[in-house]
Amino acid sequence: MSCRCAESFRKRIASRLVLAVGLVALTTAPVDPVVAQVEAPAAPPVEQTGTESTEAAETLARGVVYLDLDQDAVRDADEPGVAGVGVSNGRQIVETDEQGRYEIPVDDDTIIWVIKPRDHAVPLDQRLRPQFYYVHKPNGSPPSRFPGVAPTGPLPESIDFPLVRADEPETFRALLFGDPQPRDQTEIDFIAHDVVEELVGTDASFGVTLGDILFDDLSLFDSQADTIALIGIPWYDIIGNHDINRDATTRRHANETFEAHYGPSYYSFDHGPVHFIALDDIDWIVPEDGSAPNYRAGLGAEQIEYVRQDLERVPDDRLVVLLMHIPLTQIVDRQELFRLIEPRKFCLSISGHTHHHEHRYVTEADGWRGAEPHHHVINVTVSGSWWSGVMDDRGIPHTTMADGAPNGYTIIEFDGTEYRLDYKAAGRPADYQMRITVAEQVGADEQATVWTNVFNGSERTTVELRIGDSRDWWPMTRSIEIDPAYAALYEKDRALTVRERPALAAPKPSPHLWKLALPAGLKPGTQLIHVRATDEQGRVFEACRVVRIAAPE
């Protein structure tokens, strides 16, 4: 990093800490900003409607969501409560009253969180992780290979959530990381050099990791978060199947270590005009017959109910974005989720998990009953093919994904209810959006095949080709098959007798591959093949490749 870049970075970090709340503790101690000390008079209980059991009344958590005017995470007498803010225990959502007060039932294993409203910010810890929650586990987590939550003690008298006003415009950008999935510190270093360094100075408002933050070694959560924090923006995290306690004997205790570092495994928040819902679709199954536990993609009744109540609070004219790890179409109880989002005109969902990139349009073939197909993005992964393949000149494996696309991340731009997703290949210029494959030399009458892998392409993308000075563009045909360039790379990797990194993943059919047989009668000589791809929003991307055209014998 140059001195100028480093200085810019330091200024950016300072700005972020002020704008994003100014409540970050610049120490090695963890921040617990939501159990704020209250200097204002204690708030009286909120009046309840309906009847409640004695047991519920005995386990009510109370507190205030307030405007932290001096940004010190301590409620002063002149700091007002904020009305109409959602607070959840994971099973239900209540709203704060006119004084910002709330009451909500808890048991001995509950996380309470505030649903961040638009034009407000929550505290960040020293790793720039949003601190919007309070963990209540009086006895702590059960024993596990990786530690969970330490005993939190008795329920505090008041659990208060500070908010700070923050301008959130209609248009903003966010970063999406699929599956960074490092096995060890070496692979965290790959992440640092392959993607983090090039993102320092980004204008994105926040970032999200779409699960598989790690690859089973949960002791690395803090090191990974330290690295991601260098980007300099608030960072949210979704739980993945490699982020759970695999020695858990119940579904309820599978997320203990994740909760100790990131809080609730599902939650929601507003940013600008967009409402985001982070889902936990890792359903940990412990068979009663004593066979090995495993996971499947599932949400469960409590989470579905949370989503239902959450969406009831979101106007129909706002865009809702669902963030998850395993793709939507693999979730066993997805039909219940479908019924909740089908009436909404503006809804998008994004996942990771499969280590390829794809735009899926969910239709009635999958049980979808909405008026229009639902757009689901399976996001490119930071780790590509799990940090495999030959090392490049930077000492980082090329880790090309099995669909033939490079590892990387996406940048999504929101403008009201509209959005635009851009694919960014790690370590490559922003305009590297496709790869053209053809033999180095083809005969003039051979009708050789040209393949183009358009990394962010979909069934709604148009791809065309022309040769040399010709003004005629020929349409290419989308073909879901194995990318021949990746197939050759895979065979070359298999032939290695000495390898520094794990073997590449086996090829899989690519959903963003186009091909065309060149016409006969091409002009002999060295020519340029030009390809242009037009996405559904009318944006045009271009690339070219040199090919030698041999004269007929």
Side-chain angles (χ1 to χ4, degrees), residues 35-58:
V35 187
Q37 302 170 19
V38 181
E39 295 181 0
V46 180
E47 292 184 7
Q48 299 294 304
T49 58
T51 58
E52 292 186 349
S53 68
T54 303
E55 180 181 1
E58 292 174 348

Side-chain angles (χ1 to χ4, degrees), residues 129-462:
R129 296 176 295 197
Q131 302 294 287
F132 56 92
Y133 59 88
Y134 173 74
V135 179
H136 177 59
K137 294 178 187 280
N139 303 313
S141 298
S144 180
R145 177 186 174 193
F146 299 104
V149 178
T152 59
L155 188 69
E157 181 180 340
S158 187
I159 301 173
D160 299 337
F161 294 93
L163 296 176
V164 170
R165 290 193 181 96
D167 180 39
E168 294 177 350
E170 288 286 305
T171 302
F172 66 93
R173 303 207 300 171
L175 303 178
L176 300 174
F177 280 14
D179 304 56
Q181 208 164 342
R183 299 173 178 86
D184 50 32
Q185 185 60 48
T186 294
E187 294 184 354
I188 293 177
D189 295 340
F190 291 159
I191 296 167
H193 302 309
D194 208 22
V195 298
V196 169
E197 289 174 351
E198 71 179 31
L199 281 168
V200 171
T202 178
D203 63 355
S205 297
F206 62 88
V208 181
T209 294
L210 297 162
D212 283 1
I213 305 162
L214 299 174
F215 200 159
D216 297 333
D217 185 352
L218 307 189
S219 70
L220 296 170
F221 271 138
D222 283 347
S223 179
Q224 171 75 330
D226 284 339
T227 300
I228 299 299
L230 294 174
I231 297 172
I233 57 177
W235 204 272
Y236 293 91
D237 290 271
I238 311 299
I239 194 167
N241 54 290
H242 288 286
D243 303 321
I244 62 175
N245 296 92
R246 289 178 169 262
D247 54 350
T249 57
T250 66
R251 169 67 182 91
R252 183 162 189 165
H253 294 137
N255 299 346
E256 296 294 320
T257 304
F258 179 92
E259 290 173 357
H261 291 267
Y262 301 102
S265 60
Y266 59 91
Y267 53 91
S268 49
F269 63 95
D270 289 335
H271 192 96
V274 183
H275 185 70
F276 296 88
I277 305 177
L279 297 176
D280 172 2
D281 64 354
I282 313 302
D283 190 10
W284 184 240
I285 306 296
V286 182
E288 294 182 358
D289 63 5
S291 56
N294 207 340
Y295 72 92
R296 66 177 181 179
L299 299 172
E302 281 193 359
Q303 190 173 183
I304 291 287
E305 176 60 19
Y306 172 81
V307 174
R308 185 188 69 78
Q309 293 187 31
D310 187 51
L311 289 176
E312 285 180 348
R313 304 177 63 250
V314 182
D316 290 339
D317 61 354
R318 291 181 60 191
L319 173 63
V320 171
V321 179
L322 307 178
L323 305 166
M324 64 200 72
H325 179 60
I326 300 177
L328 178 66
T329 51
Q330 295 181 31
I331 296 175
V332 295
D333 45 359
R334 62 186 176 276
Q335 295 301 323
E336 288 89 335
L337 182 60
F338 283 177
R339 302 295 88 81
L340 297 178
I341 62 176
E342 283 164 348
R344 308 192 74 91
K345 183 178 180 181
F346 308 110
C347 190
L348 166 72
S349 59
I350 309 171
S351 68
H353 185 61
T354 62
H355 293 256
H356 79 279
H357 188 75
E358 183 177 357
H359 293 264
R360 286 186 182 171
Y361 296 92
V362 183
T363 66
E364 61 183 6
D366 194 62
W368 177 258
R369 301 175 189 170
E372 298 293 334
H374 172 77
H375 187 194
H376 180 75
V377 177
I378 301 176
N379 205 72
V380 53
T381 60
V382 170
S383 64
S385 287
W386 298 272
W387 299 113
S388 62
V390 175
M391 299 282 209
D392 64 17
D393 60 349
R394 302 171 298 164
I396 301 171
H398 68 75
T399 200
T400 305
M401 296 191 298
D403 63 352
N407 73 307
Y409 52 92
T410 57
I411 304 168
I412 187 165
E413 181 173 334
F414 297 98
D415 185 0
T417 57
E418 298 181 354
Y419 58 88
R420 183 179 73 187
L421 190 80
D422 289 317
Y423 191 112
K424 177 61 178 68
R428 297 274 198 161
D431 62 358
Y432 181 61
Q433 294 294 313
M434 66 187 80
R435 184 185 56 252
I436 303 168
T437 301
V438 66
E440 293 291 351
Q441 177 174 298
V442 301
D445 296 321
E446 183 182 336
Q447 295 187 298
T449 299
V450 178
W451 289 268
T452 302
N453 192 325
V454 182
F455 311 137
N456 199 30
S458 76
E459 63 187 57
R460 301 182 180 184
T461 301
T462 299

